[in-house]
Amino acid sequence: MLQVKHVSFGYSETKILKAIDFKVKAGENLAVIGESGSGKSTLLKLIYGEYDLNKGQIFWNDEEILGPKYNLVIGYDFMKYVSQEFDLMPFTSVEDNIGKYLSRFYPEEKEKRTAELIKVVELEAFAKTKVKLLSGGQKQRVAIARALAKEPEILLLDEPFSHIDNFKKQSLRRSVFKHLKENNIACIVATHDKNDVLGFADEMIVLHHSKIIAKNTPQHLYNNPELPLIASFFSEFNVIEPFGIVYAHQLKIVEQSDLKADVKASYFNGNSWLIEVDFNSESIFIENENEIQKNSTIYFKTEN
Ligand code: ADP
Ligand code: MG
């Protein structure tokens, strides 16, 4: 189990993280979300032991994670970290980049394990390709496979799918997170993409103004967002008195109601359209099956 106990940290006098407390059990998937600059990457780096804490302690089981002041070599065998800037060996093939970390294995076993990891990140067609010839997204996948090579007990992933195109993203996420669950590897995923979280994270924490402002399951936070910042992570939303935070899909256009608005614009959204309306001189967003002509008057109600 990872224990982050009352951690505070700043690169300078200004604290980036204050009084951070949470735990991650073996095999558990924790998502860390927050706006850009909220300290997600910093938190992962602290857990990895890249910096000395100002206050607090971090443990993996009984072992305290120590920063560079107390630890000459950064990193531990039981923990791997895939940073936002993955550094690979450019002039070496994909399989050699991964295999390099498997020197203690017998050749046959090493080959089998390398092939398995290449499959997890769906790079079978590029096994023999030099890394320097790969796209950003492909490199990111090699970095993930390499981090998994030594079977860590805990994996830290910093925006792991950010460079990967939409064609591949969903299937790759499923493949990587399934591999982690099957092998009981704990992971902490820093992300601003809800698709990295919904369906995969057991718990999520929300960082804001240096603090954890919410910690719960994705289902709970989705259904009870409490703050606009949390709702905005999941979906298009509105704040309408007296209802509070209401997602666009929780509003419905109806024949008649007390809530009247004028259509300003319609945006195609795939499954539906997002209709922007003027309601009491404020813009609100309503999901609707069809486009609605600009300047039409509509009525709407909240679901349930
Ligand atoms: P996130 O990953 O959530 O975008 P970061 O952890 O990268 O946020 O950054 C949090 C804050 O710390 C930002 O204000 C950023 O500018 C600052 N910061 C990040 N890395 C460093 C560094 N090496 N030195 C000084 N300040 C940094
Ligand atoms: Mg970051």
Side-chain angles (χ1 to χ4, degrees), residues 36-37 39-42 84 158-159 190:
S36 187
K40 303 182 294 295
S41 297
T42 302
Q84 276 176 295
D158 202 345
E159 304 198 11

Side-chain angles (χ1 to χ4, degrees), residues 88-100:
L88 300 164
M89 304 183 289
F91 299 102
T92 308
S93 72
V94 166
E95 56 183 17
D96 289 345
N97 261 275
I98 298 166
K100 177 173 181 271

Side-chain angles (χ1 to χ4, degrees), residues 36-87:
S36 187
S38 60
K40 303 182 294 295
S41 297
T42 302
L43 180 58
L44 293 191
K45 286 173 186 169
L46 293 178
I47 295 170
Y48 193 60
E50 249 185 69
Y51 297 103
D52 296 302
L53 308 175
N54 296 135
K55 263 194 203 157
Q57 286 176 299
I58 301 175
F59 290 92
W60 175 250
N61 299 328
D62 296 330
E63 183 152 4
E64 183 167 3
I65 309 295
L66 297 170
K69 210 191 277 179
Y70 308 94
N71 215 357
L72 272 179
V73 184
I74 292 170
Y76 295 83
D77 276 349
F78 51 81
M79 173 148 48
K80 283 286 167 278
Y81 168 48
V82 182
S83 74
Q84 276 176 295
E85 316 85 25
F86 19 91
D87 54 318

